[in-house]
Amino acid sequence: RHGLGDFPGALRDLDEAIRLDAQDYRAFENRGIIRSELKDFKGSLKDLDEAIRLRPGLASIYVNRGATRWRTKDFPGAIADYEEGIRLDPKWAQPYANRALVYEAMQEFAKAALDFLKAMELSEGRPTYHTGFGERAFSLCIRLMESKKYTDAAEGFERLSSTFKTVPLGIKSAYNAGCAHSLMGQKE
């Protein structure tokens, strides 16, 4: 029902699943996700905490709890959850991308760009995600240029241009890396 947008129906189903099996971490995790969607953040965090208690080694639960914390602007809590998700599953792009959103909201653009670049690298076999994360990193590198953080911008643009060698994003990144270096006083 969640996929159909029937959140109240999905909550009823999950309440029943939990009533039948109070050890079902998936039911708690899914109910936490739905409660977050419904802006019941306190209930969401309670369910996700219970899911973690039942299955502490599962990265997705930390990532989902981080998303709820991000939505409540608990940025340190969200970052901590995404870092735990990364520790548990370092090859999964999602916690890096989500942490990038938190850093972006905190206007820590260099950290956000690096996380989007990492998410991009980890999603290489998934073209939509790969390009989407690359485009977000590119936008953040532009913001770094505007903030006169040329070294960070140049690093990000270089990583983008080496990944997207011949497509427009790579060409624009190579050009902007050169601009960033020239603004740092370095000749290419």
Side-chain angles (χ1 to χ4, degrees):
R1 294 183 197 224
H2 174 243
L4 300 173
D6 180 8
F7 297 129
L11 280 178
R12 283 191 302 275
D13 292 345
L14 290 165
D15 288 343
E16 180 64 11
I18 290 167
R19 188 187 70 70
L20 294 171
D21 181 1
Q23 301 301 306
D24 185 353
Y25 71 91
R26 291 172 303 223
F28 282 102
E29 181 179 15
N30 288 321
R31 191 171 72 176
I33 293 166
I34 292 168
R35 284 181 166 174
S36 185
E37 289 291 323
L38 293 171
K39 297 186 173 137
D40 173 10
F41 301 121
K42 185 176 180 181
S44 173
L45 291 171
K46 181 180 176 193
D47 280 344
L48 293 166
D49 288 344
E50 181 62 13
I52 288 170
R53 187 188 71 73
L54 293 169
R55 185 79 186 268
L58 191 60
S60 69
I61 304 171
Y62 288 94
V63 170
N64 286 314
R65 188 173 70 177
T68 296
R69 288 180 167 172
W70 176 73
R71 293 182 77 196
T72 64
K73 299 198 182 337
D74 173 9
F75 298 145
I79 288 170
D81 278 340
Y82 295 140
E83 287 175 352
E84 184 63 11
I86 290 166
R87 187 189 71 74
L88 291 168
D89 191 353
K91 296 189 184 300
W92 186 27
Q94 198 62 54
Y96 291 98
N98 286 17
R99 189 174 66 178
L101 293 170
V102 175
Y103 284 138
E104 186 175 14
M106 296 170 63
Q107 297 189 2
E108 293 187 31
F109 302 125
K111 290 179 179 179
L114 289 174
D115 272 356
F116 275 125
L117 288 165
K118 183 66 175 178
M120 176 193 72
E121 292 165 1
L122 291 171
S123 62
E124 181 127 14
R126 302 176 73 193
T128 302
Y129 290 104
H130 184 69
T131 302
F133 294 146
E135 288 170 352
R136 284 302 289 268
F138 181 87
S139 295
L140 288 164
C141 290
I142 293 292
R143 291 185 86 165
L144 289 169
M145 291 281 286
E146 293 167 350
S147 303
K148 298 183 179 4
K149 295 184 178 176
Y150 303 122
T151 302
D152 291 332
E155 178 186 347
F157 286 132
E158 287 169 355
R159 285 176 64 185
L160 285 165
S161 67
S162 70
T163 300
F164 298 100
K165 291 180 182 20
T166 59
V167 297
L169 185 59
I171 295 165
K172 291 189 302 187
S173 296
Y175 169 79
N176 282 296
C179 292
H181 281 292
S182 69
L183 291 168
M184 291 185 321
Q186 299 179 11
K187 300 287 181 191
E188 296 297 295

